[in-house]
Amino acid sequence: MAAGDGDVPKSVLARGLVLLDAFEPADVELSLAELSARTGLPKPTAHRMIAELVRWGGLERHGASYRLGMKLFELGQRVPRRRELREAALPYLQDLYEATHENIHLAVPDGGHTLFLEKVTGHRSTPIRSRVGGRMPVHCTATGKVFLALGPPEYFRRVTEAGLARKTPRTIVAPGLLRRELDRAVERGYGVNHEEAEVGVAAVAAPVYHRRRRLVAAVSITGSAERLDVERLAPAVRTAASALTRELAAP
C-alpha cells in the first residue's frame, strides 16, 4: 500500500529505514516498483536509497529485485534481549522438541503481536507458517494469549479496541469471549490455541518471567490439531517455562 504524500519521511535515514520496513514477513524479495509503491518514495529516490543500502549490506540485489541483506541479520544477533533470552532458552526448547518432535517456539510480546525469537523444529514436525522474526496477532495464538492473560488490563483494552481480526473460522473476535478464554488461561497457567491462527494447527504455551516476576516471554508447543493433546503436553511446556524462569531469575 502506497504511503500518502504527508507520510513520506524527509530525512535520508528515515527513508532508508522505511525501505527496509517495507518487507513483510512473507516477502522474500521486492522489486523497485513494489518498494516505491509501499513507501511512497518516488522511484528515482527509492533507487538511489536502495543503491546505498546495497553498498552497506542492508539489501542484496537478486536479479531485478531486492532482498534483505546479511548485515541486518548480523545486527539482529547483537540485540541483547534476543541473544540473552535465546541462549538461555535454547536447551529447554531442544528438550521439548526431543520429547514431542513438534514445533517449539520462544516468543515475546511486540505491541499487538507475538514475536517469535526462536523456533526448534524437524522433519517430523507439523509444517506451519511461523518463522524466527515473524509475528502473529496476540489474540489468536497460544503465546499471545499468555501475554494478554497475564499482562496489564490496559494491554487487553488496547488490543481489543484496535479490532480482533479473524484469521480462521475459529478465531475469537468478540472481546467478551476472549476475556473468558484469558481468565481460563490464568486459572490453568497456560494458554491454548485451537485452529485460531491457522487451520489444522493447535498450540499450548506457558509464561516465562524475569526477576521480580516480570513477564518477558512464553514457550509453546505447536502441532497438528488432530494429534496435539494440549492437556497432556501442558505440564511439559509449563515445566520448561518454569525452569527457564528460574535461570533468568538467578543472580
Side-chain angles (χ1 to χ4, degrees):
M1 181 181 296
D5 291 341
D7 298 327
V8 178
K10 303 300 182 184
S11 73
V12 174
L13 175 59
R15 292 184 176 195
L17 294 175
V18 165
L19 283 166
L20 296 176
D21 202 38
F23 287 82
E24 298 290 341
D27 293 328
V28 175
E29 54 189 47
L30 294 173
S31 67
L32 171 61
E34 289 171 323
L35 286 166
S36 174
R38 291 190 182 187
T39 61
L41 294 172
K43 278 188 180 181
T45 302
H47 185 267
R48 185 171 65 255
M49 296 299 305
I50 288 169
E52 292 289 341
L53 287 168
V54 168
R55 281 192 288 273
W56 175 67
L59 289 177
E60 297 174 355
R61 183 156 191 162
H62 188 257
S65 299
Y66 301 89
R67 297 177 173 179
L68 293 175
M70 288 299 295
K71 188 70 172 182
L72 300 178
F73 175 78
E74 294 172 11
L75 290 175
Q77 298 304 304
R78 301 175 196 170
V79 177
R81 183 185 182 192
R82 180 194 190 282
R83 186 179 66 247
E84 292 165 5
L85 259 180
R86 178 186 175 277
E87 290 175 355
L90 202 50
Y92 303 104
L93 305 184
Q94 291 169 337
D95 286 347
L96 277 179
Y97 171 75
E98 291 301 328
T100 65
H101 291 107
E102 287 294 0
N103 303 278
I104 312 299
H105 295 107
L106 174 71
V108 295
D110 182 28
H113 295 82
T114 183
L115 171 65
F116 298 112
L117 289 190
E118 188 56 84
K119 176 181 180 180
V120 178
T121 189
H123 68 276
R124 293 171 61 182
S125 306
T126 302
I128 58 175
R129 291 200 299 259
S130 68
R131 63 175 184 80
V132 174
R135 301 188 305 166
M136 297 186 74
V138 287
H139 69 281
C140 60
T141 52
T143 53
K145 287 182 182 179
V146 166
F147 303 141
L148 280 175
L150 300 174
E154 55 267 26
Y155 183 37
F156 174 80
R157 187 180 66 252
R158 287 199 307 270
V159 168
T160 53
E161 287 178 351
L164 304 177
R166 185 178 296 280
K167 296 297 183 179
T168 76
R170 301 194 67 169
T171 305
I172 300 174
V173 295
L177 292 178
L178 179 60
R179 183 68 265 174
R180 286 197 287 274
E181 171 74 3
L182 299 178
D183 290 341
R184 286 194 291 271
V186 173
E187 293 173 3
R188 295 179 299 203
Y190 58 89
V192 172
N193 154 31
H194 285 289
E195 297 189 271
E196 297 165 50
E198 188 174 350
V199 174
V201 174
V204 56
V208 174
Y209 297 92
H210 205 282
R211 298 181 182 89
R212 298 186 179 89
R213 297 293 290 176
R214 179 170 61 89
L215 180 65
V216 293
V219 174
S220 71
I221 303 173
T222 306
S224 166
E226 291 185 358
R227 70 168 187 262
L228 195 75
D229 187 340
V230 296
E231 304 300 330
R232 181 179 65 83
L233 293 174
V237 76
R238 290 188 67 188
T239 297
S242 295
L244 177 55
T245 292
R246 287 193 296 273
E247 181 166 336
L248 293 176

